[in-house]
Amino acid sequence: NAGVTQTPKFQVLKTGQSMTLQCAQDMNHEYMSWYRQDPGMGLRLIHYSVGAGITDQGEVPNGYNVSRSTTEDFPLRLLSAAPSQTSVYFCASSYRAGEETQYFGPGTRLLVL
Amino acid sequence: GENVEQHPSTLSVQEGDSAVIKCTYSDSASNYFPWYKQELGKRPQLIIDIRSNVGEKKDQRIAVTLNKTAKHFSLHITETQPEDSAVYFCADPFNKFYFGSGTKLNVKP
């Protein structure tokens, strides 16, 4: 199993550009989530999904959209990038919500100029 | 996150000493309590977890204790080594998978 994969590893955007961060898992996990981690800071939940077709907001959802059309994929879209979105983005998944270990992807470093 | 508070934010210990990190949660229905370790530049990884039907769980030099009455759980690292230096996060997955703010542990050789 590849586990949780994320692409790209690093991206530079200009203010106002849009892009999609990809996340995929091959463990048949129902629960998937996106976090952002600013330098020296903790993990803040952006959006999450408890299964295909179901998504919900976390702590910091503004400026981001998600969709979950398949169990395997959970892309994160930045609609109009801002410098405040410069961060490391982690995707994570677990078998179910609430009572299971989350497995993290390697992260995507995003720089918005 | 909204539901979990973690202390201290930084902790510096001498190699061989013990380290304790504490998290407080708010929802009495929470029943699963994990601890993650994040080394510099890497992804968080689970190091130990506990479920609400037990009060303590050990794995070699690390242990987690749970006090459901007081709604807090703690990570204990004994005989600390330089490779234990990292940021440690607790989490309360019950409602949404929120993490604590993290504790940066520095083990001085």
Side-chain angles (χ1 to χ4, degrees), chain A:
Chain A
N1 287 350
V4 181
T5 58
Q6 292 183 239
T7 56
K9 291 184 179 179
F10 181 69
Q11 183 72 45
V12 179
L13 290 179
K14 294 181 179 179
T15 297
Q17 288 185 316
S18 63
M19 79 161 293
T20 299
L21 279 63
Q22 302 291 344
C23 174
Q25 52 87 14
D26 61 358
M27 299 175 282
N28 200 32
H29 284 173
E30 292 183 355
Y31 183 86
M32 296 185 74
S33 56
W34 277 102
Y35 294 88
R36 62 175 286 174
Q37 186 173 39
D38 299 335
M41 302 292 285
L43 298 155
R44 291 188 289 171
L45 181 66
I46 305 172
H47 286 285
Y48 66 98
S49 168
V50 298
I54 306 170
T55 64
D56 203 350
Q57 297 179 350
E59 302 167 89
V60 288
N62 293 340
Y64 307 95
N65 275 354
V66 292
S67 60
R68 184 96 178 269
S69 57
T70 67
T71 299
E72 294 78 18
D73 300 296
F74 190 43
L76 177 73
R77 283 182 287 278
L78 278 69
L79 308 173
S80 177
S84 61
Q85 294 179 304
T86 293
S87 191
V88 178
Y89 292 83
F90 287 103
C91 178
S93 73
S94 63
Y95 184 62
R96 290 179 308 199
E99 299 184 17
E100 303 288 336
T101 305
Q102 280 211 100
Y103 296 90
F104 283 81
T108 294
R109 293 185 176 274
L110 178 67
L111 175 61
V112 183
L113 301 175

Side-chain angles (χ1 to χ4, degrees), chain B residues 57-98:
Chain B
K57 181 177 178 181
K58 287 183 179 179
D59 183 4
Q60 299 182 343
R61 295 186 298 106
I62 60 173
V64 54
T65 58
L66 173 63
N67 184 328
K68 289 214 73 177
T69 302
K71 291 193 282 188
H72 66 72
F73 59 108
S74 299
L75 176 69
H76 304 257
I77 307 174
T78 58
E79 301 173 25
T80 53
Q81 301 170 4
E83 53 264 38
D84 295 329
S85 295
V87 180
Y88 293 83
F89 293 98
C90 61
D92 180 9
F94 184 71
N95 292 311
K96 301 181 182 183
F97 212 119
Y98 289 128

